[in-house]
């Protein structure tokens, strides 16, 4: 009997079932642009276009054909205006895509928040749009000092202490059972349904149905886990291996807005302030007799490989966008003054 009691105590102690945290997963008021990284070598603008804390350098994955000047421009971040709005395949027409994008939105109550305009098809067909970050948010990016030009100097190792995308920038570590999730969102009486997209430490996608947006103004959509058991004595207590298993974590993947075929299509606007998660700790922070990781380095080796893989995948996509942006014409085009533009580009207007 005594042995059983000890095992139960160890299970509760190791799995952290008695401790719950309430933490902001992502706070869009922290993602405003605050530094300027030029778009090309001739860019003379001075207005901010990147978020300092979340700047990522993808030049290390570029080929040898790029000049040092071009490599210095290979920076991006989670700045709000870099976020993407991706429509489902049947809704992805040129007209709908060009009218669907994210913008910084000034809120008198909260400051800068994420605003998204979505142009759904006008036809009576189900459609959805995903408001997603410009790259998969990395879970092990070390803390860094970032200057006004976006140059990154790591100040941590990504394994001890908080990583760069924790503290409201899209990553939660040591996440056990989720009790509830809250999204602070601004509704405009549309009946569209909001889903939250999350990824766990194994890369599994989790989609959480947060409810409809049929209200006016700021509201809090809350999802409560129907399978959460509050009484510890009713739980199925187990012993889980600790080291060298990776610490469980969650990363933010975006929002999905569903428009039913029976509902109004066309333009739809929504604003997001933050996402908060209440969860049990997966593992309690205890003073262990042996520092396993310092001795073996197994988790460090695994996560270093994963970080390099994430950077390679992230860098390839960003380089393709960078090359396409460099090839894009910089000529102004104003359709309201078509006659001037026809003459300028040598086109003959149609009578």
């Amino acid at each position: 009997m005594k042995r059983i009691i000890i095992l139960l105590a160890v299970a509760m102690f190791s799995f952290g079932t008695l401790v719950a945290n309430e933490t902001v997963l992502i706070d869009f008021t922290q993602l405003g642009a605050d530094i300027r990284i030029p778009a090309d070598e001739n860019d003379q603008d001075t207005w901010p276009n990147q978020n300092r804390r979340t700047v990522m350098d993808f030049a290390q994955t570029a080929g040898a054909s790029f000049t040092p000047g071009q490599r210095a421009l290979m920076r991006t971040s989670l700045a709000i205006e870099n976020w993407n709005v991706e429509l489902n395949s049947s809704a992805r027409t040129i007209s709908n895509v060009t009218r669907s994008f994210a913008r910084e939105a000034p809120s008198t109550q909260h400051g800068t928040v994420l605003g998204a305009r979505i142009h759904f098809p006008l036809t009576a067909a189900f459609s959805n749009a995903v408001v997603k970050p410009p790259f998969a948010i990395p879970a092990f990016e070390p803390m860094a000092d970032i200057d006004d030009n976006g140059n990154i100097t790591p100040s941590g190792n990504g394994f001890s202490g908080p990583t760069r995308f924790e503290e409201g920038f899209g990553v939660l570590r040591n996440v056990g059972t989720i009790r509830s999730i809250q999204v602070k969102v601004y509704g405009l009486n549309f009946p569209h349904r909001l889903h939250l997209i999350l990824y766990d430490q194994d890369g599994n996608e989790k989609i959480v149905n947060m409810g409809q947006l049929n209200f006016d103004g700021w509201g809090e959509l809350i999802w409560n886990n129907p399978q959460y058991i509050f009484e510890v004595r009713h739980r199925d207590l187990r012993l889980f291996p600790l080291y060298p298993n990776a610490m469980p974590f969650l990363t933010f993947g975006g929002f999905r807005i569903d428009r039913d075929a029976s509902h109004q299509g066309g333009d739809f606007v929504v604003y997001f302030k933050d996402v908060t998660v209440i969860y049990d700790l997966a593992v309690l922070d205890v003073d262990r007799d042996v520092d396993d990781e310092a001795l073996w380095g197994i988790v460090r080796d695994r996560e270093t490989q994963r970080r390099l893989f994430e950077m390679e995948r992230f860098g390839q996509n960003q380089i393709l966008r960078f090359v396409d942006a460099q090839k894009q014409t910089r000529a102004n085009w104003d359709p309201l003054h078509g006659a001037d533009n026809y003459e300028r580009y040598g086109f003959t207007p149609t009578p």
Side-chain angles (χ1 to χ4, degrees), residues 113-131:
V113 296
L114 169 67
R117 172 189 175 183
I118 302 169
H119 192 82
F120 287 115
L122 298 175
T123 55
F126 172 84
S127 53
N128 65 59
V130 177
V131 182

Side-chain angles (χ1 to χ4, degrees), residues 152-165:
I152 303 170
T153 304
S155 58
N157 58 19
F159 301 101
S160 59
T163 58
R164 187 142 63 95
F165 288 86

Side-chain angles (χ1 to χ4, degrees), residues 313-329:
R313 183 177 58 181
F314 150 76
Q316 289 174 347
N317 293 333
Q318 295 300 322
I319 288 170
L320 291 175
R321 292 182 181 178
F322 175 81
V323 171
D324 204 52
Q326 297 298 303
K327 294 187 294 185
Q328 188 177 22
T329 177

Side-chain angles (χ1 to χ4, degrees), residues 53 58 95 122 127 298 349-350:
R53 166 78 176 245
F58 54 92
S95 176
L122 298 175
S127 53
I298 299 174
T350 302

Side-chain angles (χ1 to χ4, degrees), residues 178-192:
I178 296 177
R179 182 189 300 179
S180 61
I181 300 174
Q182 172 189 290
V183 177
K184 190 167 291 184
V185 56
Y186 192 96
L188 291 167
N189 287 334
F190 280 80
H192 304 329

Side-chain angles (χ1 to χ4, degrees), residues 281-323:
L281 296 178
V283 179
L284 290 179
D285 186 13
V286 297
D287 185 14
R288 302 185 63 81
D289 181 58
V290 177
D291 188 344
D292 304 295
E293 180 60 18
L295 180 62
W296 306 108
I298 299 174
V299 175
R300 181 181 65 249
D301 293 342
R302 288 179 183 172
E303 299 307 335
T304 297
Q305 292 298 319
R306 178 170 177 171
R307 185 191 302 170
L308 292 174
F309 172 75
E310 288 181 345
M311 176 57 69
E312 182 179 357
R313 183 177 58 181
F314 150 76
Q316 289 174 347
N317 293 333
Q318 295 300 322
I319 288 170
L320 291 175
R321 292 182 181 178
F322 175 81
V323 171

